[in-house]
């Protein structure tokens, strides 16, 4: 869904520091369909991290559905076609 209260975080293990945060910011794709997203997390290589899925929505289209996370590809040529998340979206919202 399209709601900033529903998001995925990449969190550093041990410190619980949020390294990256992503949510669907394309309200044109707000039809309950699943989309493939990909993000370049190479800046966190060598860090132990975990993925946190957060649904804090209390109104509007507050829905978050996930299927799978692939955390490593040997080559950039192995990446599937998908919506590219261009940047970290860490905010204090």
């Amino acid at each position: 869904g399209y709601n900033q209260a529903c998001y995925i975080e990449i969190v550093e293990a041990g410190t619980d520091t949020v390294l990256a945060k992503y949510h669907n910011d394309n309200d044109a794709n707000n039809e309950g369909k699943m989309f493939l997203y990909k993000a370049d997390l190479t800046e966190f290589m060598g860090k132990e991290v975990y993925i946190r899925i957060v649904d804090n929505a209390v109104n509007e289209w507050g829905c978050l559905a996930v299927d799978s996370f692939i955390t490593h590809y040997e080559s950039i040529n192995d990446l599937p076609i998908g919506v590219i998340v261009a940047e970290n979206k860490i905010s204090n919202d």
Side-chain angles (χ1 to χ4, degrees):
Y2 174 70
N3 190 313
Q4 291 186 12
C6 297
Y7 51 89
I8 295 169
E9 294 177 325
I10 307 301
V11 183
E12 185 172 17
T15 67
D16 291 328
T17 301
V18 176
L19 303 174
K21 178 179 174 182
Y22 305 99
H23 73 277
N24 178 16
D25 59 359
N26 186 350
D27 62 350
N29 290 323
N30 186 16
E31 300 173 352
K33 298 178 183 175
M34 293 188 77
F35 296 92
L36 175 64
Y37 288 89
K38 52 188 175 179
D40 182 355
L41 301 174
T42 55
E43 67 183 286
F44 309 124
M45 294 275 295
K47 293 184 183 238
E48 184 177 346
V49 300
Y50 62 92
I51 300 167
R52 180 167 39 211
I53 301 165
V54 179
D55 182 350
N56 287 328
V58 294
N59 60 10
E60 298 176 355
W61 184 225
C63 173
L64 182 65
V66 297
D67 185 6
S68 65
F69 293 90
I70 300 171
T71 59
H72 177 76
Y73 288 95
E74 288 294 322
S75 166
I76 195 164
N77 297 326
D78 296 334
L79 286 172
I81 296 172
V83 178
I84 297 174
V85 179
E87 62 187 59
N88 284 342
K89 301 198 177 206
I90 297 178
S91 66
N92 294 323
D93 297 347

